[in-house]
Amino acid sequence: MSGSEDGTSLIARMRNAVIELPRFQKRIVLATGDFVIISLVLWVLISLRFAEYWRPEIWQQVVLFLLAPLTAVATFASFGLYRLVTRFIGLQGMMQIFMLMGLAVLIWSLIVFMSGQLGFPRSIILPFAFLSACLVSASRATMGWLLKSAGIRIAAFDHRRPGKKVAIYGAGLMGVGLLNSARRVRDRDVIAFFDPAPSLKGQYVGGVKVYRPEKMARVISRLGIEEVLVALPHSQRRERRQVLRELERLPVSVKILPDYEDVAAGDVGISDLRPVEVSDLLGRDPVQPDPELLARSIKGKSILVTGAGGSIGSELVRQIVQQQPSVLVLLDVSEAALYEIETEITDSIQRRPEGEPRPRVYGILGSVLDRQLVHDTIATHGVKTIFHAAAYKHVPIVQHNAAVGLQNNTFGCQVIAEAARRLAVERVILISTDKAVRPTNLMGASKRLAELVLQAMAAEGGPTTFSMVRFGNVLDSSGSVVRRFRKQISDGGPVTVTHKEIVRYFMSIPEAAELVIQAGAMAKGGEVFVLQMGDPVRIDDLARLMIHLSGLQVRDDQHPDGDVEIIYTGLRPGEKLDEELLIGTDMTGTEHPRIMRSNEPFIAAPDLRRELDLLQDAIVSRNCDAIEAVLSRTVEGYKPTSPAQASDFVPDHGLHSSSTTIH
C-alpha cells in the first residue's frame, strides 16, 4: 500500500473515531478549542498594542484575561452553540458564532471597564471580537470539512418558510442534502430530524433538532408534522423497511428516496422523492446473484425472449442485455409494448462506453402461435436460449376468453418447444405460475398444460434442455392488485378486495427475473424450478397498508369518518383463497438459496399429444364439456367451477355442448 493510501486510511480512521465520540466528550473538545483560540487572539492583540510580549503584572490581570475566553465559552454553551453538529453547522451556525462572540466580548469589556481597565487597552475590543469569531468559525469549518464525507453541500442559512410541516428520517448525508433541497424549493418546512445514532440525540443539524425514532409518534403529534421523508441509503434497506412499517401506523404521508447509489453522497433533491411502494415494505433483502449462473446460458449467445414487452419479459430483457449476449431477439404481439422495450434497450446499448460489447437487437412483431414466424425467427438469428414469457395471465380475462387463453398459453408453448427442438436450440425456459398447481381456473390449467408439454419433450430426449420456473405474483406488474389499489385510492375509493382472508405470495419483478435466469442455467431437463416467495401476504392487509401509506385512514365501523372504504366483492370465477407452488413433494435444493428443484409427475408424450389433439378439436368446435373433460384428465387437481358458473365466464367464444350452451 502506498504512503498516500496509508495517510488516507489514517485520516478516515481518525475521522470515524471523532464522529463516534460520546456527545459530552465532543462538547468538551470544542469548548477547549474555543478557549485556546480566544485566549491566543487576546494575547496577540495586547502584545501588538504594546509592541512587546505581554505578561500580566498583577493577579487581577490574570483573572480578567482568563475571564474573556471563559465568558465566550459560557455564552456559547448557554445559547446552544455546542449542540450544533459540527459536520452540518452551515452558515446559520457561523452567524450564530459571530453574534454570540460579540455578546461575550461586550460582557467582558463591561467587566474590564468596571474594574478600571487595569492595563487592558480599549482599542483591542472590536478587533478581539471580530478575529475571535473568525477563527472560531474557521475552526468549525475546518473540522466539519475533515469530518464530512466528500461531496456534501451545506445549505445556506435560511429562515423557516411557510409550507407543509415535514420531518426527515435520517440525519446523515442524504438527509442533509434533502434538507438543503427543501429550503431551496420552499414548499416544505423541515422542522425535525429522526435518527437512531446516539451521538445525534438532541443535536441540531442545519438548525433542525434531531429526535430519537422512538419518539416519532409523540413528536409528529406535538409538532403537527404532515409528511415524513425517509432518507436512508440502499445499504440500510432492512432498517428502512422497519421504519416504513412504523410510519405506516402514523397519520402522516411518507415519501422515500430511490435506491440508486447516486444519492449516497447527499446530492439529492425534493424532485428525487417518490411515494412509498409496496415493494419497499414487502420486498426482501436481495441475495447476491451468482455471476456465473447469470452468464452461463446468455454470454456470447443469441437469446430470444417471447412476450418481451410484458412485465416479466421486459425485465428479463433488461437483465439479459447486461450479460453480454451476441444477439437479443424480442418477440411480442403488442406493437406498443415491443416498441417501448426495443427503444429502451437500444438506447441503453448506444450509451455504453466505446469498447464495451454491443449486442444486436431485433424486434419481431407477431404471435407465438405463428409456426412459420417462430421457425424463421429462431433459424435466422441462430437462437440458442429461449425465455418463453408470452402468456395471457389475468385469471378473469382468460376465464371469459377460454379458447384464446388455451390457444396462446398451451399451444403457443408447444409451437415454441417444437421449433426449438427441431432447430437444436440449447435451452428453453418457460415462465410459469403458482396458479398452475391444482388450478381452479382456466389460466392456471393452461399454464400447467404448457409445463406438461415441456416435461414430455424433455423425457423424449434430444438436443434441447427444457425447464420451467414457477413463482407467484410479482409486485406492480401490469394488472397487478397493487396498481389497482393505487388507482382506487387516488380516486377516493372504495378499494375492492375479493375476500377478507385471501392471501398471495409476492416478489419484486427484478428479483423474479434474476432468479429465472439463474434457474434456467441450472436445468438438466424436465425440472420444475420453484422460487422461494417468502411469507404470504393477506390482500386485505395490503389494501390497508397502501391506504395508510397514502396518508389516509380506512373508513370502517371503528372509524366512520375515515377517508377510504374497503369493500369485499367475493371471489372471482376460478379464484382461490391461497396459492400453492408444488404439486408433489419431491423437492431438492440447488446452487441458489432461493431456487428449489421439483421433479413432478408428467404425461408421456404420445398420450399428451393425443389429449392436446382432442383439446384442439374441442376449442375449434367450441365444445365446453369436451374442454373440461380434457383438462380434468390431464391437469392434476384441476377443479373447475360448476357448469352453472361456467356459462358466465366464456361468453365471447360461444363454447357449447349437447347439454349446455355458453352465451
Side-chain angles (χ1 to χ4, degrees):
M1 182 179 292
S2 68
S4 62
E5 290 174 334
D6 287 334
T8 302
S9 176
L10 177 61
I11 291 173
R13 289 196 298 269
M14 292 175 61
R15 180 186 63 198
N16 293 336
V18 172
I19 291 174
E20 294 302 321
L21 281 176
R23 186 171 64 255
F24 178 75
Q25 293 184 20
K26 290 179 182 177
R27 292 177 180 175
I28 292 296
V29 170
L30 289 173
T32 302
D34 293 344
F35 184 93
V36 171
I37 289 171
I38 294 167
S39 299
L40 284 174
V41 170
L42 181 58
W43 181 81
V44 168
L45 287 173
I46 296 174
S47 298
L48 289 174
R49 174 64 179 80
F50 294 124
E52 62 180 357
Y53 291 114
W54 180 77
R55 296 181 182 84
E57 299 175 351
I58 55 177
W59 66 270
Q60 289 93 336
Q61 288 182 327
V62 176
V63 172
L64 288 176
F65 180 86
L66 294 176
L67 197 58
L70 287 173
T71 301
V73 170
T75 303
F76 291 170
S78 299
F79 285 86
L81 183 63
Y82 296 121
R83 294 167 63 87
L84 297 178
V85 179
T86 304
R87 284 173 288 162
F88 309 123
I89 192 169
L91 288 182
Q92 180 182 7
M94 300 300 184
M95 292 180 66
Q96 191 173 353
I97 289 172
F98 274 85
M99 290 187 293
L100 294 179
M101 192 65 219
L103 176 61
V105 171
L106 177 62
I107 295 171
W108 177 74
S109 61
L110 290 174
I111 295 173
V112 170
F113 291 146
M114 291 173 62
S115 304
Q117 289 189 239
L118 298 178
F120 288 92
R122 288 174 293 179
S123 59
I124 68 167
I125 299 297
L126 291 179
F128 172 49
F130 179 75
L131 289 175
S132 296
C134 287
L135 290 178
V136 170
S137 297
S139 70
R140 293 292 195 281
T142 303
M143 189 175 296
W145 178 78
L146 291 173
L147 294 177
K148 285 183 298 179
S149 298
I152 187 168
R153 299 180 302 187
I154 301 301
F157 170 71
D158 198 359
H159 293 290
R160 182 164 292 165
R161 306 176 179 91
K164 182 186 295 185
K165 292 185 177 179
V166 169
I168 298 175
Y169 192 102
L173 301 178
M174 290 171 64
V176 173
L178 204 52
L179 171 65
N180 298 341
S181 178
R183 285 173 168 167
R184 289 193 298 269
V185 174
R186 299 171 178 262
D187 65 343
R188 286 173 169 86
D189 183 11
V190 180
I191 60 176
F193 272 110
F194 297 109
D195 199 289
S199 61
L200 292 176
K201 179 182 178 182
Q203 300 277 50
Y204 285 82
V205 172
V208 178
K209 188 172 182 179
V210 182
Y211 296 90
R212 299 287 292 163
E214 52 265 28
K215 294 183 178 180
M216 270 199 304
R218 186 166 54 191
V219 172
I220 286 171
S221 175
R222 178 166 56 85
L223 299 182
I225 292 171
E226 304 167 70
E227 184 178 57
V228 176
L229 312 178
V230 179
L232 294 176
H234 182 67
S235 58
Q236 294 176 250
R237 185 173 179 177
R238 186 183 298 274
E239 180 185 344
R240 186 175 67 184
R241 191 158 59 242
Q242 180 181 349
V243 168
L244 292 175
R245 288 187 180 277
E246 293 174 4
L247 288 170
E248 181 267 328
R249 297 190 292 267
L250 301 176
V252 291
S253 61
V254 182
K255 291 288 196 310
I256 190 171
L257 284 169
D259 283 343
Y260 51 79
E261 295 302 326
D262 293 346
V263 302
D267 190 13
V268 297
I270 292 297
S271 60
D272 294 312
L273 290 165
R274 62 170 174 82
V276 176
E277 303 291 350
V278 177
S279 58
D280 296 316
L281 289 143
L282 302 184
R284 300 179 290 179
D285 290 336
V287 171
Q288 193 68 23
D290 184 336
E292 194 276 329
L293 281 179
L294 286 175
R296 183 183 296 174
S297 58
I298 296 175
K299 187 173 183 178
K301 298 181 179 181
S302 178
I303 311 298
L304 167 63
V305 180
T306 70
S311 301
I312 291 295
S314 60
E315 183 60 31
L316 281 169
V317 170
R318 294 183 190 100
Q319 297 197 23
I320 288 169
V321 80
Q322 300 302 319
Q323 302 305 317
Q324 301 178 12
S326 60
V327 177
L328 183 52
V329 184
L330 317 177
L331 174 63
D332 203 288
V333 74
S334 167
E335 180 189 25
L338 181 63
Y339 171 79
E340 288 294 331
I341 188 61
E342 183 180 11
T343 302
E344 176 188 334
I345 295 303
T346 302
D347 289 348
S348 71
I349 291 173
Q350 293 301 320
R351 289 194 297 268
R352 289 184 175 181
E354 198 66 36
E356 281 196 13
R358 297 189 177 189
R360 300 185 301 278
V361 179
Y362 300 95
I364 308 297
L365 182 63
S367 169
V368 292
L369 289 166
D370 188 333
R371 291 181 180 275
Q372 191 62 50
L373 174 68
V374 170
H375 180 279
D376 292 347
T377 297
I378 295 173
T380 300
H381 300 290
V383 171
K384 295 301 180 185
T385 301
I386 299 175
F387 291 91
H388 181 45
Y392 294 139
K393 63 182 182 179
H394 301 300
V395 171
I397 292 179
V398 175
Q399 287 294 108
H400 286 274
N401 298 271
V404 174
L406 287 165
Q407 286 279 18
N408 188 74
N409 293 359
T410 300
F411 293 103
C413 181
Q414 185 181 33
V415 169
I416 291 290
E418 289 175 350
R421 184 167 61 180
R422 189 180 310 115
L423 295 169
V425 171
E426 293 176 1
R427 292 178 184 271
V428 175
I429 300 102
L430 168 67
I431 313 303
S432 191
T433 170
D434 57 357
K435 293 174 178 60
V437 179
R438 286 177 276 275
T440 58
N441 55 70
L442 286 168
M443 195 282 281
S446 68
K447 293 297 286 184
R448 178 54 186 151
L449 274 176
E451 291 182 355
L452 289 170
V453 168
L454 295 196
Q455 287 178 292
M457 287 193 172
E460 287 185 313
T464 304
T465 299
F466 296 100
S467 63
M468 299 125 272
V469 184
R470 188 187 291 157
F471 53 93
N473 299 276
V474 288
L475 289 166
D476 224 7
S477 62
S478 62
S480 163
V481 67
V482 172
R483 291 192 183 185
R484 181 173 177 81
F485 285 171
R486 188 183 297 121
K487 176 67 165 57
Q488 291 175 333
I489 292 169
S490 67
D491 291 342
V495 170
T496 55
V497 177
T498 57
H499 195 286
K500 197 166 188 175
E501 300 303 323
I502 193 169
V503 297
R504 290 291 182 266
Y505 292 94
F506 287 97
M507 177 181 287
S508 72
I509 295 176
E511 182 183 15
E514 187 178 83
L515 293 177
V516 163
I517 294 171
Q518 294 176 89
M522 293 187 286
K524 304 298 181 184
E527 308 100 322
V528 176
F529 290 99
V530 178
L531 306 187
Q532 291 188 352
M533 299 293 296
D535 298 325
V537 177
R538 291 175 73 244
I539 302 302
D540 184 50
D541 292 341
L542 176 62
R544 294 174 183 274
L545 179 67
M546 293 185 66
I547 292 170
H548 293 160
L549 287 177
S550 300
L552 303 172
Q553 188 178 55
V554 177
R555 184 164 67 245
D556 52 22
D557 293 339
Q558 287 74 36
H559 305 93
D561 297 326
D563 304 291
V564 180
E565 183 182 10
I566 296 178
I567 294 178
Y568 303 98
T569 59
L571 292 175
R572 297 173 296 182
E575 189 172 37
K576 296 195 290 187
L577 278 178
D578 49 25
E579 303 287 3
E580 306 170 85
L581 288 169
L582 291 174
I583 295 174
T585 57
D586 184 11
M587 187 168 69
T588 57
T590 66
E591 302 169 47
H592 196 287
R594 288 188 181 166
I595 303 174
M596 306 299 288
R597 179 185 284 107
S598 177
N599 293 306
E600 297 191 346
F602 64 94
I603 300 172
D607 296 332
L608 182 61
R609 277 194 289 268
R610 184 170 56 253
E611 293 289 354
L612 291 177
D613 288 342
L614 292 172
L615 181 61
Q616 186 69 267
D617 291 341
I619 290 173
V620 171
S621 63
R622 301 298 196 253
N623 190 313
C624 178
D625 286 348
I627 289 177
E628 294 291 346
V630 172
L631 295 180
S632 296
R633 288 195 302 270
T634 55
V635 177
E636 307 94 322
Y638 176 57
K639 296 179 181 178
T641 53
S642 65
Q645 292 176 304
S647 64
D648 294 330
F649 61 76
V650 208
D652 291 344
H653 298 284
L655 292 181
H656 67 273
S657 69
S658 58
S659 59
T660 306
T661 299
I662 308 304
H663 55 79

